[in-house]
Amino acid sequence: MEKKVTMADIARLSGVGKSTVSRYFNGGYVKEETRKRIQKVIEDYDYEPNTFARLNAKESNVIGVVVPTLNSKITGRVITSIDRYLRERGYTTIIKSSDHDVSLELQNLKRLARLNVDGIILSALSVTSEQEAAVKEAGIPVVVLAQNYPSGICVLDDDYGAGYAMGTYIGKRKFQKVGYVGISQRDEAVGIVRKKGVMEGVAAEGIHQVYIALGDYSFESGYEAAKELLDKEKKLEAIICATDRMAFGVYKYLGEMGLRIPEDVSVSGFGGYDESELLNPALTTLKFDSYRVGALGAETLLKIISGEKVSTKQMVGFEFIEGGSVRKTE
Amino acid sequence: MEKKVTMADIARLSGVGKSTVSRYFNGGYVKEETRKRIQKVIEDYDYEPNTFARLNAKESNVIGVVVPTLNSKITGRVITSIDRYLRERGYTTIIKSSDHDVSLELQNLKRLARLNVDGIILSALSVTSEQEAAVKEAGIPVVVLAQNYPSGICVLDDDYGAGYAMGTYIGKRKFQKVGYVGISQRDEAVGIVRKKGVMEGVAAEGIHQVYIALGDYSFESGYEAAKELLDKEKKLEAIICATDRMAFGVYKYLGEMGLRIPEDVSVSGFGGYDESELLNPALTTLKFDSYRVGALGAETLLKIISGEKVSTKQMVGFEFIEGGSVRKTE
DNA sequence: CTGAAAGCGCTTACAG
DNA sequence: CTGAAAGCGCTTACAG
């Protein structure tokens, strides 16, 4: 292993002081000629400063990202987008997973604060008071993603708008009997806001009675919900599912019952994962823009850091994906 | 923002020297009584040392992980598993994405080395000589994942075994005409090793002619490959796909042609993502154990760090998932 | 078993 | 425009 070359080495080799090399990297004044000399040496040695040695720098140029899991398509998109945005602007991003554990999430928050990061992007499991306290105590800018965060800055999916769009889409088909497979209210975005959008959307089209079943995001729960709904009301014409995965479960149940989609029952979802198009018929669904959520979150954080004013609550749009799972009105 | 409490504060508050507090954290000798005093203060102040300030420590307790993308199911599983394994053992893991960019991958490698990480887990885009040089020069332990790495230590999926298992499974059905949708040889694991397994597997069951088409992992390429294969050979009885996603494309083409699965054509894949069971019929496929790859990679790296001997090449198994997409022999 | 001192690789006033 | 000095929050010999 070769000796690691440090800033002091670069300084010595270029015949300048360390402070000058430091200024070279941090945009301070360096005479053009000196700059050239330093640059040459840096290239020769393929040198880059050690980001983590900036112990007493005003800005660390490090941003912390806390996510609930490393294992979801959404998280994958969000952190890809954050990482890219930040990298292109010279920031180092440190990703910490809470692994679905609230206490680990709290620990991650505290640890990042201690590492002197310039800011934190938090994709929260849920908003807890302890967490709010930690954020406050950290004294560094925090942007919360995909979760309403009244006491701070957040970037959200437009769940209400999406729900409303799907509600009116289904409503316009003039179905008499509609079912909805929802999610517990503990998930505010999906369980409350999205549902509200759907309900008000169908209502706007004159449908006032919706049969409701509750699922838990899983394939199986969609299957069970479909069974429950069709048991309660044999003549259901359409089932709106709060997530694609549950819609897949509904597909399975309808298939087993010999009911055709969309001739007998129409089905729709929310999510817009690539799988939706694999189904037969392709699922009519709605895709949230997770990449945009990540990028906007990062952009917002950098603005806060540089002292710009930002909105406390920003909404990111969605895209309607029309498949073949909803019957057209003849 | 409150003043950050540092190790010096803890030392002062416990009436000991900084070195003693440091030893407290790093397992050095501290008298039981002193230990208690320090512990009390630490708890009162909810203190944890700043991992990145250990500039001249022998071990940084930081492990770097370089992945090709943050945006794939497999990567998600691998890093979840690595992160968990390492966290439980007191390591901090730093995840860097190469975002499908070879030069960024190289930069990530160099940067991590400069950060003085104790070791690196590399899920490589491909093995390049520059990269091998960087790894060598880094002078720190590196474990390569899911890619054969003759010059170092690696942890691999058992692609040959998986291919062979699928090959014999299909072969035993005594199909006369079999097709294979493969992947370019540039991907050694899938394009060469897996294919070899499949070919030798079917051959072992007496099938010697296999019609081959090439795809690029995508849904569309699976669709096109199916078209090409069925064009070349109308009576194909089975199509083995090197990946599930391409198998989905095959499903679509067969559906459009009015061919039933498995009555007319049997189909199988590799991957075992959750989506496979959503299809109708469920896809017969084979699941690699990405969690195990991650954990074994991390375990191996820690062994190297602690000076234990490790195998240069370790293979991780798979699980056969029997769906309904392959015709049973009557 | 413990602490003062030196050092890790940087950055930041400050004097020139 | 530049460099010497002090400092960031830790760890590590070393002396006691």
Side-chain angles (χ1 to χ4, degrees):
Chain A
M1 153 159 64
E2 323 194 355
K3 196 84 203 68
K4 211 147 293 184
V5 15
T6 73
M7 192 172 273
D9 297 323
I10 300 296
R12 188 168 33 74
L13 291 161
S14 344
V16 301
K18 297 188 295 173
S19 358
T20 307
V21 179
S22 176
R23 251 179 268 115
Y24 171 95
F25 280 106
N26 298 300
Y29 280 127
V30 182
K31 206 202 305 169
E32 190 49 33
E33 191 206 312
T34 319
R35 178 176 297 280
K36 286 240 176 62
R37 269 216 320 279
I38 297 176
Q39 190 181 5
K40 174 84 170 60
V41 178
I42 285 168
E43 279 165 8
D44 286 352
Y45 288 81
D46 194 22
Y47 171 78
E48 268 185 81
N50 178 341
T51 337
F52 294 147
R54 317 178 75 232
L55 256 24
N56 61 343
K58 292 191 288 109
E59 313 221 311
S60 65
N61 293 140
V62 177
I63 300 290
V65 179
V66 178
V67 293
T69 168
L70 255 9
N71 213 354
S72 97
K73 199 153 221 158
I74 307 235
T75 299
R77 289 178 183 170
V78 170
I79 58 182
T80 294
S81 165
I82 293 176
D83 185 57
R84 209 173 274 163
Y85 188 94
L86 259 19
R87 179 179 355 107
E88 285 164 359
R89 283 155 187 81
Y91 283 84
T92 298
T93 117
I94 296 191
I95 300 163
K96 292 257 162 203
S97 167
S98 310
D99 216 1
H100 294 302
D101 176 343
V102 183
S103 68
L104 188 52
E105 180 179 84
L106 200 60
Q107 193 184 78
N108 283 155
L109 242 26
K110 288 185 182 165
R111 267 210 250 258
L112 284 172
R114 193 130 31 205
L115 293 184
N116 251 313
V117 299
D118 290 341
I120 293 178
I121 298 178
L122 169 63
S123 181
L125 283 163
S126 63
V127 181
T128 69
S129 54
E130 268 188 307
Q131 183 204 81
E132 289 193 74
V135 163
K136 206 138 286 168
E137 200 193 334
I140 53 179
V142 174
V143 171
V144 174
L145 258 38
Q147 183 97 230
N148 195 19
Y149 199 75
S151 63
I153 311 292
C154 60
V155 173
L156 297 168
D157 287 305
D158 183 7
D159 270 290
Y160 178 82
Y164 194 87
M166 185 58 80
T168 53
Y169 178 88
I170 295 290
K172 279 193 203 309
R173 266 70 189 167
K174 304 297 174 212
F175 294 119
Q176 298 304 308
K177 295 179 186 294
V178 173
Y180 180 71
V181 181
I183 281 291
S184 151
Q185 306 207 343
R186 284 186 313 171
D187 180 335
E188 194 192 333
V190 181
I192 299 178
V193 184
R194 186 177 299 177
K195 179 181 174 187
K196 184 155 182 276
V198 169
M199 294 305 162
E200 299 187 5
V202 296
E205 297 294 334
I207 297 179
H208 293 283
Q209 199 194 347
V210 178
Y211 299 84
I212 295 188
L214 231 52
D216 62 3
Y217 308 94
S218 73
F219 180 74
E220 290 73 24
S221 74
Y223 180 92
E224 293 301 330
K227 180 190 288 186
E228 182 189 331
L229 286 172
L230 288 167
D231 207 55
K232 203 183 293 178
E233 181 49 65
K234 305 277 183 227
K235 305 242 178 52
L236 224 47
E237 292 170 298
I239 299 179
I240 303 175
C241 303
T243 73
D244 279 359
R245 191 151 284 273
M246 296 195 298
F248 299 158
V250 171
Y251 263 60
K252 183 170 184 206
Y253 184 73
L254 295 178
E256 289 182 4
M257 291 295 105
L259 293 166
R260 293 160 307 163
I261 304 170
E263 293 82 353
D264 299 315
V265 182
S266 293
V267 181
S268 77
F270 286 84
Y273 304 135
D274 306 336
E275 296 79 51
S276 321
E277 72 179 54
L278 305 177
L279 296 181
N280 189 9
L283 181 65
T284 288
T285 182
L286 197 150
K287 184 179 187 164
F288 291 104
D289 194 347
S290 305
Y291 290 106
R292 180 70 190 134
V293 169
L296 185 57
E299 185 188 331
T300 303
L301 184 60
L302 294 195
K303 276 189 185 162
I304 302 177
I305 290 172
S306 68
E308 288 179 55
K309 260 238 161 309
V310 299
S311 326
T312 51
K313 190 166 166 177
Q314 295 175 92
M315 216 78 115
V316 170
F318 54 85
E319 180 192 353
F320 200 92
I321 300 177
E322 191 162 33
S325 64
V326 176
R327 203 186 62 209
K328 304 277 192 258
T329 38
E330 294 90 38
Chain B
M1 157 160 61
E2 323 194 356
K3 198 80 204 69
K4 211 147 294 184
V5 14
T6 73
M7 193 172 273
D9 297 324
I10 301 297
R12 188 168 33 74
L13 290 161
S14 345
V16 302
K18 297 190 292 173
S19 358
T20 306
V21 179
S22 176
R23 251 179 268 117
Y24 171 93
F25 279 106
N26 298 301
Y29 279 128
V30 181
K31 205 203 304 167
E32 190 48 34
E33 190 206 311
T34 318
R35 178 175 298 280
K36 286 240 176 65
R37 268 214 323 277
I38 298 176
Q39 189 181 6
K40 175 83 169 59
V41 178
I42 286 168
E43 278 164 9
D44 285 354
Y45 288 80
D46 195 19
Y47 170 79
E48 267 184 80
N50 177 341
T51 337
F52 295 148
R54 317 178 77 232
L55 257 24
N56 63 342
K58 293 190 290 112
E59 315 223 307
S60 65
N61 293 141
V62 177
I63 300 290
V65 179
V66 179
V67 294
T69 169
L70 253 9
N71 212 354
S72 96
K73 200 152 221 159
I74 307 235
T75 300
R77 290 178 184 169
V78 171
I79 57 184
T80 294
S81 162
I82 292 176
D83 185 56
R84 208 173 276 162
Y85 189 93
L86 258 22
R87 181 181 351 110
E88 285 165 358
R89 284 155 187 80
Y91 283 84
T92 298
T93 117
I94 296 191
I95 300 163
K96 291 259 164 204
S97 166
S98 309
D99 216 2
H100 294 302
D101 176 342
V102 183
S103 69
L104 188 53
E105 180 178 84
L106 200 61
Q107 194 184 78
N108 283 154
L109 242 27
K110 288 184 182 164
R111 265 210 251 259
L112 284 173
R114 193 128 34 205
L115 293 184
N116 253 312
V117 299
D118 290 341
I120 293 178
I121 298 178
L122 169 63
S123 181
L125 283 162
S126 63
V127 181
T128 69
S129 53
E130 268 187 306
Q131 183 205 81
E132 288 193 75
V135 163
K136 206 139 286 168
E137 200 193 334
I140 53 179
V142 174
V143 171
V144 174
L145 258 36
Q147 182 98 230
N148 195 18
Y149 199 75
S151 64
I153 310 293
C154 60
V155 173
L156 298 167
D157 286 305
D158 183 7
D159 271 291
Y160 178 82
Y164 195 87
M166 187 58 81
T168 53
Y169 179 87
I170 295 290
K172 279 192 201 308
R173 265 71 190 166
K174 303 299 173 212
F175 295 119
Q176 298 303 309
K177 295 178 185 294
V178 174
Y180 180 71
V181 181
I183 282 292
S184 152
Q185 305 207 342
R186 284 186 313 171
D187 180 335
E188 195 192 332
V190 181
I192 299 179
V193 184
R194 188 178 299 177
K195 178 181 174 187
K196 184 155 182 277
V198 170
M199 293 305 163
E200 299 188 4
V202 295
E205 297 295 333
I207 298 177
H208 293 283
Q209 200 193 346
V210 178
Y211 300 84
I212 295 189
L214 230 52
D216 63 2
Y217 307 95
S218 73
F219 180 73
E220 291 72 24
S221 74
Y223 180 92
E224 294 301 330
K227 181 190 288 185
E228 183 190 331
L229 286 172
L230 287 167
D231 208 53
K232 203 184 292 175
E233 180 50 66
K234 307 277 184 224
K235 306 240 179 52
L236 225 45
E237 293 169 298
I239 300 179
I240 303 173
C241 302
T243 72
D244 280 358
R245 192 152 283 274
M246 297 196 297
F248 298 159
V250 171
Y251 263 60
K252 184 172 182 201
Y253 184 73
L254 295 178
E256 290 182 3
M257 291 294 106
L259 293 166
R260 292 160 306 165
I261 303 171
E263 292 81 354
D264 300 316
V265 183
S266 293
V267 181
S268 76
F270 286 84
Y273 304 136
D274 306 337
E275 296 80 50
S276 322
E277 73 180 53
L278 305 178
L279 296 180
N280 188 9
L283 181 64
T284 288
T285 183
L286 197 149
K287 183 178 189 167
F288 291 104
D289 194 347
S290 304
Y291 290 105
R292 180 69 191 136
V293 169
L296 185 57
E299 185 188 330
T300 304
L301 185 59
L302 294 195
K303 276 189 185 161
I304 302 177
I305 290 171
S306 68
E308 287 179 55
K309 262 239 162 307
V310 300
S311 325
T312 52
K313 191 166 167 176
Q314 295 175 92
M315 215 80 116
V316 171
F318 53 84
E319 179 192 352
F320 200 93
I321 301 178
E322 190 160 34
S325 64
V326 175
R327 203 186 61 210
K328 303 278 191 258
T329 38
E330 295 91 37

